[in-house]
Amino acid sequence: MDIAKKLKLEIAMLEACNEDLLVAIGVHNQRDEYHLSAECTRKINKTNREIERLKVRLQDHQNFMWVIKVAQDKGLLGEVVKEYANQA
């Protein structure tokens, strides 16, 4: 599986987890279990930080792939590989 697909899948999984935690917060608040509601909130905050980190990684990967494609289209990538092979 492609790196971008894996990152997108992991982001979707974490977002679904957050949705489940939001439902759990509602249930805990109805039952006056505020300590459990607070724990769910902490988990959501932690998951949101992880989602943002993964989104940055995904964007970096997409930018890198774009640079490689542009270099290939201009024929520069093949020249760099040839030059590297000659130095080795």
Side-chain angles (χ1 to χ4, degrees), residues 11-24:
I11 289 168
M13 181 181 63
L14 291 173
E15 288 173 342
C17 179
N18 275 354
E19 291 175 13
D20 292 344
L21 286 169
L22 286 172
V23 171

Side-chain angles (χ1 to χ4, degrees), residues 1-87:
M1 185 181 287
D2 179 339
I3 291 173
K5 286 182 183 178
K6 285 182 183 179
L7 289 172
K8 288 177 184 177
L9 184 63
E10 191 168 348
I11 289 168
M13 181 181 63
L14 291 173
E15 288 173 342
C17 179
N18 275 354
E19 291 175 13
D20 292 344
L21 286 169
L22 286 172
V23 171
I25 287 172
V27 171
H28 291 311
N29 285 338
Q30 287 177 350
R31 296 179 183 173
D32 296 331
E33 299 170 336
Y34 299 114
H35 63 287
L36 295 175
S37 179
E39 180 63 30
C40 290
T41 303
R42 282 190 289 277
K43 289 179 182 180
I44 287 173
N45 289 333
K46 182 179 176 184
T47 304
N48 281 339
R49 287 190 299 271
E50 180 68 12
I51 289 170
E52 289 304 313
R53 187 185 69 78
L54 290 173
K55 285 181 177 180
V56 168
R57 260 186 82 191
L58 178 61
Q59 186 64 44
D60 286 345
H61 176 73
Q62 289 171 338
N63 290 342
F64 182 68
M65 295 308 291
W66 178 79
V67 168
I68 289 175
K69 183 180 180 334
V70 168
Q72 283 177 336
D73 291 346
K74 291 183 178 183
L76 299 174
L77 194 61
E79 292 176 20
V80 171
V81 171
K82 287 177 190 175
E83 191 171 319
Y84 178 77
N86 289 335
Q87 290 178 0

